[in-house]
Amino acid sequence: MKRLAVYCGSATPADPVYIETTRMVGRALAARGIGVVYGGGKLGLMGAIADSTLAAGGEVIGVIPDALVNMEVAHKGLTELHIVRTMHERKQAFTDLADGFLTLPGGTGTMDELWEALSWAQLGYHAKPVGLLNVAGFYDGLLTFAARMGEVGFIRPQHQKLLIASDDLDDLLAKMAAHVPSRPIVSMKAEDL
């Protein structure tokens, strides 16, 4: 994996574990020579992943819709900043530029990105690993819910392991590197989405 799309929040929660872990992830990815593709903002966890990766000598590519440039305060000090027209173009750029997806804590936008990466894997648009770092148990409920979707039959058996989760970054990256793509429902291309 040469680059990972990192999904995370533009907020800074009161509990310092989230920002501290995000900074650790940025440093760790840079130390491994793994570049970061992310939402292009300089606030919250988004800013922390960018700044910590850059400070450790890593590559950071931001992708931000023009409507959010001022709202999310676009980060101007990145290796590259791509300004796109729509959120869909942003998520497609994440997929095109990265070799996998790493989800850190975040809100609605982070969930949208995570679930779309999983959906696109099921549909055969990509065969890249989708990882989730479960910082301080933040995603315990989501992981229970994802397992329940599989138990009930809403996620096909071959797709029940698409979401790769761990509470340890080294373990998560190792699992992502060992990822074996599942059999997709169909094989879609960008123009099919």
Side-chain angles (χ1 to χ4, degrees), residues 111 114-115 132 134-149 163 165:
M111 292 300 90
L114 169 64
W115 289 110
L132 183 141
N134 190 17
V135 177
F138 182 78
Y139 285 119
D140 286 350
L142 183 134
L143 293 169
T144 299
F145 176 63
R148 181 74 176 138
M149 287 190 291
L163 181 57

Side-chain angles (χ1 to χ4, degrees), residues 107-155:
T108 306
T110 303
M111 292 300 90
D112 175 55
E113 293 161 344
L114 169 64
W115 289 110
E116 186 151 271
L118 289 167
S119 176
W120 286 7
Q122 287 182 147
L123 294 172
Y125 176 57
H126 72 78
K128 302 171 183 182
V130 180
L132 183 141
L133 187 61
N134 190 17
V135 177
F138 182 78
Y139 285 119
D140 286 350
L142 183 134
L143 293 169
T144 299
F145 176 63
R148 181 74 176 138
M149 287 190 291
E151 291 166 7
V152 171
F154 286 114
I155 297 179

Side-chain angles (χ1 to χ4, degrees), residues 74-94:
H75 197 303
K76 304 293 186 182
L78 305 175
T79 309
E80 296 175 25
L81 179 63
H82 300 260
I83 299 175
V84 297
R85 204 172 48 79
T86 67
M87 292 296 283
H88 177 77
E89 289 174 8
R90 179 193 223 182
K91 291 181 283 187
Q92 184 173 344
F94 291 155

Side-chain angles (χ1 to χ4, degrees), residues 15-25 27:
D15 188 335
V17 71
Y18 300 108
I19 198 97
E20 290 170 7
T21 301
T22 300
R23 290 179 180 137
M24 176 277 298
V25 169
R27 291 188 301 268

Side-chain angles (χ1 to χ4, degrees), residues 162-187:
L162 282 177
L163 181 57
I164 304 165
S166 180
D167 59 0
D168 178 81
L169 181 63
D170 291 329
D171 179 57
L172 179 60
L173 293 175
K175 288 176 180 176
M176 290 174 69
H179 167 72
V180 176
S182 65
R183 184 173 36 87
I185 298 168
V186 294
S187 290

